[in-house]
Amino acid sequence: AMLCAGSVRLKNLQNTMLKNLLDACGASLGFYTVGYAFAWGSSSDDEGTTFIGTSNFFLMGVEQKAFWLFQFAFAATSATIVAGTLAERCQMLAYLCYSSMLTALIYPVIAHAIWNPTGFLSSHQSDPLLGVGVIDFAGCLVVHATGGLTALIAAFVLGPRKGRFYFNSDGKRIANDFPGHSVALKVLGVFILWFGWYGFNTGSVYYITSKNQAFLAQNAAVNTTLAAAAGTISAL
C-alpha cells in the first residue's frame, strides 16, 4: 500500500490506498468462502488427480486455522500485485470484483494444481510431471506468475492512463512524465515489503522441528536479504 501510494500522483492517493485495503477485504472473504476449499480441500494422497478441492468450504472441518491465515496471505499478495498495474485507471467496484474473483476462483486453481498433493502438477504425485513435477517453494510461480499475468491482461484491456501519451506535431507519440508524489512513502513501502518477505519465505518451511528444516529457513532468510539488496543495487 505504501509503495503504491508513493508512486501515484497526489490526486489519486486516496483511491490507491482504498484499493489496497479492498485487496485484503475481498481476498479474505473470497478465500474464506470458496477459495481455500478449491485450493486445499480434498487433499488426501489417495484421491488421484483432482482439478480443484471439493471440501472445507467456509472452513468447515478445518482444524488448522493458522494454515488458512498463512495461505490467505499468499492469495492476497497475488491480488495486490495487480494493484500497481491498475493504479489511476480502474473504478472501485470493478476492482473489488476483480480482487474477490481472483482469490476465490482463479488463484485457488493454480495453487491446487501445484501445491495440493492431488494437483496434476504437484511434485507429490505418484507419477509427477516429467518425473519431478513443479516445485514452488514460496510462491514464485503460484503467486507472482498468477498476479503478473493477470496484471498484464488488465493493462492490455484498460490501456494507458488518461493523458499518459500525446502526439507531437510530427505525429510521434510522446510519453508524459507522471512522477509519484512521495519518495518517503515509496521507501517506507520497500522496507515493509522487505521485512514481510522474511515471514513469507522462511514461513514456507512451515515448521523447524528438525535440523534440515531450520537449515532451509535460514537459507531462505539469507537469500531473501541478498536478493533484495542485489535488486536494489542493480536498479541504480
Side-chain angles (χ1 to χ4, degrees):
M2 296 299 102
L3 180 59
C4 286
S7 300
V8 300
R9 291 167 291 177
L10 184 59
K11 67 175 184 177
N12 294 308
L13 174 61
Q14 186 174 359
N15 180 276
T16 298
M17 294 292 284
L18 183 55
K19 284 178 180 176
N20 279 272
L21 177 61
L22 290 179
D23 269 331
C25 297
S28 62
L29 295 177
F31 203 64
Y32 166 74
T33 52
V34 298
Y36 181 85
F38 288 157
W40 294 100
S42 301
S43 58
S44 61
D45 293 329
D46 59 353
E47 292 183 5
T49 302
T50 58
F51 178 66
I52 57 174
T54 57
S55 63
N56 302 136
F57 295 98
F58 295 90
L59 297 187
M60 291 186 293
V62 176
E63 296 181 359
Q64 296 294 332
K65 299 297 195 301
F67 184 73
W68 174 86
L69 186 64
F70 186 64
Q71 293 301 324
F72 150 71
F74 280 92
T77 299
S78 184
T80 59
I81 292 173
V82 190
T85 305
L86 301 185
E88 302 185 317
R89 68 181 84 180
C90 182
Q91 293 183 352
M92 200 65 63
L93 180 59
Y95 189 83
L96 178 60
C97 291
Y98 137 77
S99 181
S100 300
M101 290 300 101
L102 181 71
T103 52
L105 301 176
I106 301 173
Y107 169 85
V109 174
I110 309 300
H112 184 91
I114 296 176
W115 280 340
N116 193 300
T118 63
F120 77 99
L121 295 176
S122 173
S123 60
H124 299 287
Q125 282 278 6
S126 58
D127 184 21
L129 181 69
L130 300 179
V132 293
V134 177
I135 300 174
D136 187 346
F137 177 72
C140 61
L141 174 61
V142 175
V143 177
H144 291 87
T146 302
L149 183 58
T150 304
L152 180 63
I153 295 172
F156 177 78
V157 172
L158 293 177
R161 291 169 287 179
K162 291 183 178 179
R164 183 69 175 91
F165 299 98
Y166 68 95
F167 291 92
N168 61 14
S169 57
D170 298 327
K172 183 179 180 181
R173 192 170 76 159
I174 307 297
N176 278 319
D177 188 21
F178 283 178
H181 82 282
S182 174
V183 174
L185 283 178
K186 287 190 283 187
V187 173
L188 176 62
V190 168
F191 276 114
I192 292 175
L193 282 170
W194 191 338
F195 183 78
W197 285 118
Y198 288 115
F200 257 44
N201 295 343
T202 61
S204 292
V205 180
Y206 293 136
Y207 45 87
I208 52 174
T209 54
S210 71
K211 182 179 179 180
N212 183 55
Q213 290 158 338
F215 177 78
L216 289 175
Q218 67 182 5
N219 268 3
V222 171
N223 288 337
T224 300
T225 303
L226 296 178
T232 301
I233 298 301
S234 298
L236 294 178

